[in-house]
Amino acid sequence: MPFGARPHDAARGIAVRQELLMPKSSGILAALCLVGAALSVAPAVQAQEAARSASLAPGTKVYDQDGQEIGQIVKVEGDKIAIAVNGSGLVVSKSAFLMTKKGPALKAPKAKIFAVLKEAEADAAAVEGALKPGAEVRSADGAAVLGKVKAMAPQGAVLTTRDGNITMPRAAFFLSDKGLAVKVTKEQFVAGVRAARAQKKAAEQSR
């Protein structure tokens, strides 16, 4: 007991010292608990991911979030899963799935999935109708005319531009308010055309 201190003062001093020590020891214990939890959760997460990947195989039925069957997996390529749905196709990433008792399910109701597919099919049909020789092609914002469709090819459409011809896949096109357009800006398009031509020229010179 410190000189001159009353018994209850000494007791109070001990209590204060204990309170000062508690946060430090509690922090260490909390940190150890968090580390332990992380170590125990990591294998569980890895096991879930492994189980998900194993279940996402061609031929596997796919359901919506409510357990209704919507189609089946037809192809797996890396993180992308191709699903045959109602006579059409849908490509999603593995993270789009939930694992249910029935099997893999998409995180959306059947009606919404079908509505999205129907809209995509309508957009694709509209683009296909607009991809005709002579059609102007604009930038994504519609502000610039990048070129014209010269001809159709198995890979997509051949465009005539100021920097030469370039073939672009059908998926690169969409219909804007101003007509047929590609999903890039004018600057991105010009840079892409020049890079493609430079690559082609380098390949020809190396022969």
Side-chain angles (χ1 to χ4, degrees), residues 4-127:
R6 295 191 299 272
H8 69 275
D9 290 332
R12 183 168 58 188
I14 293 171
V16 169
R17 285 195 293 274
Q18 287 175 336
E19 288 170 3
L20 290 173
L21 289 171
M22 280 299 290
K24 185 176 180 181
S25 58
S26 297
I28 294 172
L29 288 173
L32 290 173
C33 289
L34 286 173
V35 171
L39 291 174
S40 63
V41 169
V45 172
Q46 291 173 355
Q48 289 175 359
E49 290 299 325
R52 175 185 293 181
S53 297
S55 66
L56 298 175
T60 302
K61 290 182 179 180
V62 177
Y63 303 86
D64 75 344
Q65 64 181 22
D66 301 317
Q68 296 187 61
E69 184 179 339
I70 61 169
Q72 69 175 24
I73 296 173
V74 293
K75 186 177 181 181
V76 178
E77 187 171 334
D79 185 54
K80 302 300 180 184
I81 310 295
I83 310 168
V85 181
N86 198 29
S88 185
L90 178 67
V91 178
V92 298
S93 65
K94 290 182 179 179
S95 61
F97 289 91
L98 294 168
M99 299 313 298
T100 68
K101 292 180 179 179
K102 285 188 173 182
L106 292 177
K107 302 174 184 178
K110 185 175 183 177
K112 184 174 182 179
I113 294 169
F114 279 23
V116 169
L117 278 174
K118 187 175 181 180
E119 183 179 352
E121 289 172 357
D123 290 344
V127 168

Side-chain angles (χ1 to χ4, degrees), residues 87-190:
S88 185
L90 178 67
V91 178
V92 298
S93 65
K94 290 182 179 179
S95 61
F97 289 91
L98 294 168
M99 299 313 298
T100 68
K101 292 180 179 179
K102 285 188 173 182
L106 292 177
K107 302 174 184 178
K110 185 175 183 177
K112 184 174 182 179
I113 294 169
F114 279 23
V116 169
L117 278 174
K118 187 175 181 180
E119 183 179 352
E121 289 172 357
D123 290 344
V127 168
E128 193 68 27
L131 274 174
K132 303 295 183 184
E136 286 186 340
V137 178
R138 293 179 173 271
S139 56
D141 58 6
V145 175
L146 304 177
K148 290 186 177 182
V149 177
K150 180 180 180 180
M152 299 305 297
Q155 299 86 355
V158 180
L159 306 186
T160 298
T161 75
R162 291 181 179 179
D163 294 292
N165 295 342
I166 185 171
T167 301
M168 299 195 70
R170 285 174 170 79
F173 297 91
F174 73 100
L175 278 183
S176 69
D177 294 338
K178 295 185 178 181
L180 193 62
V182 288
K183 302 172 183 177
V184 292
T185 64
K186 177 183 177 181
E187 292 74 18
Q188 291 172 328
F189 181 84
V190 171

